[in-house]
Structure formats: C-alpha cells, structure tokens
Amino acid sequence: MAERVYVFDTTLRDGEQSPGATMNLDEKIRMAHQLETLGVDIIEAGFPIASQGDFEAVQAIARAVKNVQVAGLCRAVKGDIDRCWEAIKDAKNPRIHTFLATSDIHMKYKLDKTADEVLIMAEKAVKHAAQYTKNVEFSAEDASRSDWDFLVKVTETVIDAGATVVNIPDTVGYTQPFEYYDMIKYLMDNVKNVDKAIISVHCHNDLGSAVANSLAAIKAGARQVECTVLGIGERAGNAALEDLVMAINTRKELYDVETGINTEQIFPSCRRLSQIIGMPIPPNKAIVGANAFAHESGVHQDGVLKNRLTYEIMTPASIGQLSNNIVIGKHSGSHAVKNKAEELGYNLTDEQVQILFKAVKDLADKKEQVFDEDVEAMILEKVYRRLDRFRLVAMSVFSGTGDVPPHAAVVMEFGREGEDIETKRISEFGEGSVDAVFQSIYSLVGVSPKLEVYSVNAVTEGSDALAGVAVRIENDGVKAVGRANDGDVVKASALAMVNALNRMEKAKEEK
Ligand code: KIV
Ligand code: ZN
C-alpha cells in the first residue's frame, strides 16, 4: 500500500502573511471549515504571540474544527510556547509548532548565537512544548542554507527531546530540486532516530521551485508537505497545495504515496480563498486557472475530440470544476438557493437564506446566467457584511471635463444593528468617477487614507459578469484591504472602499 504524505496547510498563517491576504476572524473560520472539508491533515491557524487578534483567531479555529489537527506557530522560547498552547489547547488534536534558525547567516546576524547555543535552545523549547502535548513539530528555519551535519545534529536532538515532526524549510526559496532531494536523503540516511519522527518540508517560491522542491523531497522520504491554497504566502508564496496533490495523484506510479485530500474540493477551496482575499485566480494558474483545461490550438482540439488522453492528463471534474454550474434562474425558489449555499459549503440561518434569496433574485433579473461564483460573491457581499458599521446606501456619478470635473453623490448609513443609525450624504469632485466616489466616502467617514492598490477583474465570463474590485488603503500606519463584487464597476469600487474602511476601523480597534 502506498505510504501516506500528510498535508499541513498554512494558508491561515504563512499564506496570511502574503501582502493583501489578511483575513478577519469570520473569514478565517470559514476558510478553516473549507480546509477541513478538503481533507488537509493539519491546519496551521496562526502565530498566537503575534497579536491579540492572532491569538483569538487561532483559539476560535481550534474550537471550530473537529476532524483536523490545529497547529499554532511559536518561536523557540518559553513565553511563545505557553501562549501558543493556551490558544490551541481546546482543539481535538492540537500541535505546537516551534521554530528556530539553523543557518550560519541567521544564527550569526539574526540570533547572535553560536551553533551550540542554538542546539541547547532547540532542545529546551521542544522539551517544554512536549510537557503540554506529544504532538510537537520543530522547524529548523533556513534549513536549506544550513550545514547538513549540523542539521543532522539538530534533528536528532529535537527528536530525542520529543519532536514528532521535524520540518526542513527552504525559507528563502533558494534550493533546487536535485539539491533538496540530496539534502532530505542525507537526513533520512544519517539521522539515527529518524524512524521516530516524520520529516516535513516547507518550500517558498522565490525561484519558482517550491512545488518541484517539495515533490523532490517526497521522493527522498519526506512524509509531510507544508503548503497553501493557491500558493499564497510570504513574498513569492509557498508551494501550492493543489499543484502538489494533483502531481502526486496524476503521477502515482512515480511517487507511490497518497494524501487524504478530497480532490473534488480543490476547486471550491481555491475559489473560496480567492473570493475571501479578493485575489483573482490567474488564468494560467496550474490546476485551477481558467485556461488550465482550455484547448485553443486546432491540433490540440482535434486530438482531444478523438481521444481526450492525447492532451488531457486530468479532468476538470477530478478537481471539482463542474462545467454545468449554472445554478439559479428567475424561477428558482429559496430552497434551491439554500441547497446551493450548502453545496458551496455555507450553512446559513433561515434569515440569511432569505437575504441571499433576494440578492440572487435581483441578480437573476439583471444577468442572464447566475453561476456558483456569483452566488458565493452574494453570500460574502450581502450576508456577511450586513453588520458592518459603515454602509453604502445610494450613489450616483457624473463624468465631466474642464470646469465641471467628474463628481459623485453618496449616501451612507453609520451605526451597527441595535445602535442609533445616522444617515449622511455628500457630493465631491474627483479625478475620475471612481475617485469622486472615493473622495465622497472619505469625507463622510472623516478619513483620508492613501490608496495603495486598486484592481478590477471579472468574477465570471461575459459582458454582464460581476466586476470584482479589490483595494488596499493605509492610514496612520494601519493597512486594510477591501473587496466587493457588483455588475457595476463603480458601485463595486465604492463597496470595496466601504469594506476596507470597515476593516480598517476593526484593525484600529484591535490595535
Ligand atoms: O519559511 C519558514 O521557514 C517558515 C517557518 C516558520 C516554518 O515559515
Ligand atoms: Zn514559510
């Protein structure tokens, strides 16, 4: 029987460190539930010592999911480890993940410690963590640039101290597949107690080799891979979960290992993350991009029609991308809408179903076909953001030139449910229609943030597709992202800005 490779998903920790991928608590919990459905073995939920918000998110995830291990990250010091345990201890199967750098450059310049001191620190940290749980992972940060014999020593020491998983990260995305293979093989062959732990890998994509490196490591004996949905993560990101799993499955005869991933949940998971963080899936993204199964060349089309195996190495259905996902029309009832939400992984209350039903009906009046992506966008837009403090009520925009520059009129409501609601209106000029709307919103809210990122993309196909807008703003050192979808690009922009301002307020409150 094929050996198991454990999938350690760090979308909610390393992934969230990716610029613009910040998620709030509700979004993290929704993503955690989707990861559980996807079948990952471990969810790394965050870095509890980093902030109160991180601590609460890790704790909430630990309590929310049941069929998956929950890991918290901590440096190799007592205070970090104690805080991590406090956050994860309610999980059904909690894991303490402690890390310490082992490369010469990190030990000298970052830690200002000798190799012997690092070895003692690692041992002490793991022993301390092991007093809380047997499920302890140690990561040798910047392992790929560390001395191999020192790594052997560190690995042996932490296994003796109680680590059950030892992770060998390529922290800076520097290694290459054949070199990483040799390194993992060296550890497998030279660490005396290697049979008492699982060797894990965690690869960054700075040179575009994260997935290839992880696969090479599996071939050399690694039995845990750390990865993220859509490969999001620090700098150029981490190894993409969907690429790894489909490579292992498609080339079974080569790798001879298996994972616990339900591949039909791959596309829904990628779509959910993309919707939550407002980052479109690039069309040429392996496995889940819009072009991944599209055959343009006549020769290819002809081949596929004669026998799809000529050019197709896997099917869209195997990753849960159904071709016939037109779901809701003018005549669908609320039951159909409820079922579709459940199929997409959202368990809504009756009240939420009614809100969604109305939103979907309104959309079906304007748009010929309503797809899964549209329904999911409506759930995020209309159901989950209803309780925000700032809300857009109405707006109109006027384009203009010369003495009458573009201007907008905006009406907004202020106040959460149960508070006194105040309605305010204003009209401002701007450089263009979108800018005029933004200036009006800033005046109403009483802030003047810097707009760092503004991006627009189509959520689905066709000229009546929803426009997905993402913005990132900065004010007083606090950054926030906002996203929204609407058939009208200016309105989507306004909603995204209002969303960003709500998030910014929340972030300032947390700070
Ligand atoms: O890239 C890295 O080394 C990490 C560790 C904390 C595992 O993210
Ligand atoms: Zn990392």
Side-chain angles (χ1 to χ4, degrees), residues 290-346:
N291 297 347
F293 295 96
H295 300 278
E296 277 295 314
S297 117
V299 175
H300 288 204
Q301 285 174 353
D302 183 53
V304 169
L305 286 175
K306 286 177 176 147
N307 182 338
R308 65 170 190 79
L309 295 180
T310 51
Y311 287 100
E312 210 170 75
I313 58 170
M314 55 197 158
T315 63
S318 67
I319 57 154
Q321 195 178 27
L322 306 173
S323 52
N324 185 19
N325 70 345
I326 300 167
V327 284
I328 306 287
K330 282 192 181 72
H331 307 293
S332 308
S334 65
H335 200 66
V337 172
K338 184 176 190 307
N339 283 350
K340 178 45 72 177
E342 270 168 19
E343 197 186 307
L344 292 171
Y346 295 90

Side-chain angles (χ1 to χ4, degrees), residues 367-402:
K367 201 171 176 287
E368 221 173 280
Q369 297 169 328
V370 178
F371 297 91
D372 286 0
E373 286 84 348
D374 296 319
V375 176
E376 194 155 24
M378 290 296 107
I379 293 174
L380 298 182
E381 204 67 62
K382 307 287 181 195
V383 176
Y384 289 117
R385 290 197 190 152
R386 216 166 34 95
L387 303 178
D388 282 350
R389 191 158 107 69
F390 313 130
R391 289 179 302 278
L392 181 76
V393 177
M395 54 171 270
S396 63
V397 284
F398 308 89
S399 56
T401 53

Side-chain angles (χ1 to χ4, degrees), residues 131-176:
Q131 287 177 344
Y132 289 123
T133 172
K134 284 191 166 53
N135 195 352
V136 177
E137 170 170 340
F138 175 82
S139 276
E141 195 192 7
D142 204 21
S144 57
R145 292 192 299 169
S146 303
D147 177 84
W148 290 14
D149 288 320
F150 181 53
L151 260 191
V152 168
K153 223 189 226 175
V154 170
T155 307
E156 275 171 3
T157 304
V158 295
I159 294 174
D160 279 343
T164 43
V165 180
V166 182
N167 187 33
I168 309 296
D170 181 28
T171 303
V172 291
Y174 181 73
T175 198
Q176 291 299 295

